[in-house]
Amino acid sequence: MRVGLLPTQGGGTYRITVWVLAVIGILISSLPVIVVTIMSFSASEHAGFPPTELSFRWYGEVIAMFTQEDGSSAQSVVGATITSLVVAVIVMAISTLVCIPLAYALARGDRRIRAGMELLFTLPLVFPLVILGIAFLLIAESLRLDIGIWRIIIPHVALVMPFVLRNCIGAMNGISVEIEEAAVSLGASPLRAIWDVVIPLMRAGILAGLIFALIISFNEFTITFFMYTIDVSTLPIWMYSRTVSSLDPSTLALSVFIIAADIVLIVLVDKLIAGRANLF
């Protein structure tokens, strides 16, 4: 028997309400993407909405930036992209290697300790990113250490760990301790039971955390803005430098490529969480 959430749930009022709310939500979340995508096809030298003439001109400019040497800026887009990818991959690896055993310990440990630890690792999500950026900048400047790319990697790890940990803990919650006990009773050591039984069962949560870490780190701007140097800069910083004085339409075309890649990864995360994909 269905419980009536609205007086006319079985009729048209309920469906209309759901559709209206869904359309409003989709418009709010997708409107910036739609505007940027439309503006990226403008043929004008200056970005404007709506564009008066459509063209693939700026997509050609993006391809040229990646295939030709750019002497107009201190760092090329290729160098910034490589730096972003390197940072994202290292952040992804570190956060995952830390969060897998941490999620196991929290899931199998005392509930009071788990609640406190989860709250502790959620703090980077609570604080404004500007405050985190300033804090990491003060730490880096006070230590006066030349750590190169790690100036960016360390803050990114702190930022993405809550997302990775949440996915790993969610995966651990679905694994009963009796499964490990059965593996141990059959002759496996506790570590072998974790490696051969628990981790394979966590694969969807681990992969989802990996993808979230990659997306968040690659696109992160606020904290990176405080930590980047002339020698170490990421793609979001490079794009920002192209739009300080005036909006460069080529950055809009580049944004569309990034958005498309993020959408593919998010769809993959959705399939992993829903159990419809198996990558290993």
Side-chain angles (χ1 to χ4, degrees), residues 9-30:
Q9 180 179 357
T13 304
Y14 176 77
R15 293 183 179 179
I16 292 174
T17 303
V18 170
W19 275 105
V20 169
L21 293 176
V23 169
I24 292 174
I26 292 173
L27 285 176
I28 292 174
S29 60
S30 62

Side-chain angles (χ1 to χ4, degrees), residues 124 127-137 220-223 225-226:
F127 290 126
L129 294 181
V130 173
I131 301 301
L132 285 177
I134 294 174
F136 278 111
L137 177 61
E220 170 56 32
F221 170 79
T222 306
I223 295 178
F225 181 76
F226 289 93

Side-chain angles (χ1 to χ4, degrees), residues 10-218:
T13 304
Y14 176 77
R15 293 183 179 179
I16 292 174
T17 303
V18 170
W19 275 105
V20 169
L21 293 176
V23 169
I24 292 174
I26 292 173
L27 285 176
I28 292 174
S29 60
S30 62
L31 187 59
V33 176
I34 295 173
V35 171
V36 168
T37 303
I38 295 175
M39 291 174 62
S40 69
F41 289 100
S42 174
S44 174
E45 288 284 346
H46 305 284
F49 187 84
T52 57
E53 187 179 355
L54 300 180
S55 172
F56 286 96
R57 169 186 178 182
W58 301 113
Y59 288 91
E61 291 286 338
V62 171
I63 296 174
M65 285 190 298
F66 278 92
T67 56
Q68 301 174 8
E69 186 176 354
D70 183 13
S72 61
S73 59
Q75 186 181 32
S76 67
V77 65
V78 176
T81 303
I82 292 175
T83 301
S84 290
L85 288 173
V86 170
V87 169
V89 170
I90 295 176
V91 168
M92 182 175 62
I94 293 175
S95 59
T96 304
L97 290 176
V98 171
C99 288
I100 290 176
L102 181 59
Y104 178 86
L106 292 178
R108 296 290 187 257
D110 187 87
R111 291 185 178 272
R112 292 170 296 180
I113 298 177
R114 171 179 173 176
M117 291 296 292
E118 287 187 9
L119 178 61
L120 179 64
F121 279 94
T122 307
L123 290 180
L125 302 180
V126 177
F127 290 126
L129 294 181
V130 173
I131 301 301
L132 285 177
I134 294 174
F136 278 111
L137 177 61
L138 293 175
I139 294 172
E141 294 300 322
S142 62
L143 294 177
R144 297 184 181 277
L145 296 176
D146 185 11
I147 54 178
I149 198 173
W150 291 93
R151 283 177 59 96
I152 299 176
I153 292 175
I154 294 172
H156 281 207
V157 170
L159 181 64
V160 307
M161 278 188 64
F163 297 94
V164 181
L165 184 61
R166 286 287 182 179
N167 280 279
C168 290
I169 288 179
M172 274 300 304
N173 288 336
I175 303 174
S176 175
V177 68
E178 284 79 9
I179 298 177
E180 291 180 69
E181 294 174 349
V184 172
S185 66
L186 293 174
S189 64
L191 288 178
R192 186 65 181 271
I194 294 173
W195 181 260
D196 290 343
V197 178
V198 176
I199 291 182
L201 292 175
M202 291 176 63
R203 63 184 181 273
I206 294 173
L207 286 172
L210 283 170
I211 295 172
F212 274 124
L214 179 66
I215 294 174
I216 295 169
S217 178
F218 187 87

